[in-house]
Amino acid sequence: MCKEGVKKMRLNIGSGKEYRQDWLNIDVNKKFNPDIVMDMRSLMFPDESVEEILMQDVLDHVTFVEGKEVLRKCYGWLKNNGTLNIRTPNLSFIGREASKGNHEAIKWLYGSDGEGHTNYDSNLIRWCYSENSLRIIMEAIGFIVIDAHTENLEYSLRMIGVKRI
């Protein structure tokens, strides 16, 4: 499933509006014109065929169990020293903000505009991670976490893992 002309297989899973040249852009929503329209839970690639995987603001749209399975698949697809780069809502930040009475935080947690509306069904948030919870899952699968930090005024959590055998 490699895009013609791509020397290294790099996956942009949940590409949304962030189409990347020289990557295989995959999204469940055809309105974003990805290279492949497919739910990430159904993706299949040969083991050790991918150099790099980017998952920005997508892991939160599946359940905890489904998320772990997707991460296991990613680990299998990656070549040795391949990287998985994840950005997801930061549960620790959302929890802190909600406890301060920030009602916007509840909207973030449920992925809505505050009135229960989303742009499309796949935009619902089904699970959130703290740095610690995501690190534990990644390391249990076999990733070595090489970077973890917050972004977007702490709303987002970025975690980068490497597959090392």
Side-chain angles (χ1 to χ4, degrees), residues 67-85:
K68 286 195 324 185
E69 183 57 31
V70 168
L71 294 175
R72 279 189 203 99
K73 286 181 175 184
C74 289
Y75 186 84
W77 300 332
L78 284 169
K79 295 179 179 181
N80 191 32
N81 292 317
T83 59
L84 173 62
N85 185 335

Side-chain angles (χ1 to χ4, degrees), residues 96-122:
R96 279 194 313 271
E97 289 299 304
S99 71
K100 293 179 199 174
N102 182 347
H103 299 294
E104 291 294 314
I106 301 302
K107 294 176 192 176
W108 301 329
L109 183 60
Y110 289 100
S112 84
D113 59 7
E115 301 198 18
H117 304 290
T118 57
N119 295 334
Y120 41 93
D121 183 56
S122 62

Side-chain angles (χ1 to χ4, degrees), residues 7-30:
K7 294 179 179 104
K8 293 182 180 180
M9 173 85 93
R10 298 186 297 176
L11 307 178
N12 182 11
I13 299 175
S15 56
K17 298 174 191 171
E18 294 187 35
Y19 188 94
R20 291 175 175 249
Q21 295 298 320
D22 299 326
W23 289 66
L24 190 57
N25 297 277
I26 304 161
D27 201 283
V28 69
N29 196 323
K30 66 181 179 183

